[in-house]
């Protein structure tokens, strides 16, 4: 015979399950808005990082330069999303 977990453990598990479901219930209508806001935030960050390469003066170039290699993987999706058909960077061809 399997023993049941103690009452405190079952109550805590029940509250955790109810809390998860309530969180899902309240977040579900706004999930699309959250995703769009996150995408816009990431696009702005990409613009900030690649601004010097695109000809826009950036006073923080020294600090953003070391982030370039990590963002090259997402660069193609970003410039296509921004409506730029080909890569605007001279030294980096992604497509």
């Amino acid at each position: 015979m399997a023993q049941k977990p103690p009452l405190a453990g079952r109550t805590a598990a029940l509250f955790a399950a109810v809390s998860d479901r309530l969180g899902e219930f309240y977040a579900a209508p706004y999930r699309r808005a959250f995703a769009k806001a996150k995408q816009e935030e990431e696009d702005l960050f990409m613009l900030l990082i690649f601004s010097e390469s695109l000809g826009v003066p950036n006073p923080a170039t020294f600090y953003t330069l070391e982030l370039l290699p990590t963002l090259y993987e997402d660069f193609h999706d970003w410039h296509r999303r921004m409506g730029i058909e080909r890569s605007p960077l001279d030294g980096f061809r992604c497509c």
Side-chain angles (χ1 to χ4, degrees):
M1 272 178 119
Q3 290 185 342
K4 290 184 176 181
L7 181 62
R10 286 186 287 169
T11 304
L14 176 68
F15 279 124
V18 170
S19 177
D20 288 344
R21 299 274 160 83
L22 282 177
E24 207 43 50
F25 174 76
Y26 286 114
Y30 307 107
R31 189 167 290 130
R32 181 178 241 167
F34 289 149
K36 184 176 181 181
K38 181 183 175 193
Q39 187 67 55
E40 289 176 355
E41 197 172 287
E42 289 176 0
D43 288 344
L44 181 63
F45 183 71
M46 290 286 283
L47 179 64
L48 177 70
I49 299 300
F50 287 101
S51 64
E52 192 71 34
S53 302
L54 297 171
V56 179
N58 181 4
T61 299
F62 178 76
Y63 301 105
T64 60
L65 195 59
E66 62 187 46
L67 295 173
L68 285 175
T70 60
L71 296 176
Y72 276 139
E73 294 175 7
D74 301 330
F75 183 75
H76 177 72
D77 293 334
W78 176 75
H79 79 76
R80 299 287 293 199
R81 198 169 42 249
M82 293 295 111
I84 303 170
E85 190 68 28
R86 301 271 178 186
S87 172
L89 302 179
D90 292 333
F92 181 71
R93 297 283 175 212
C94 60
C95 47

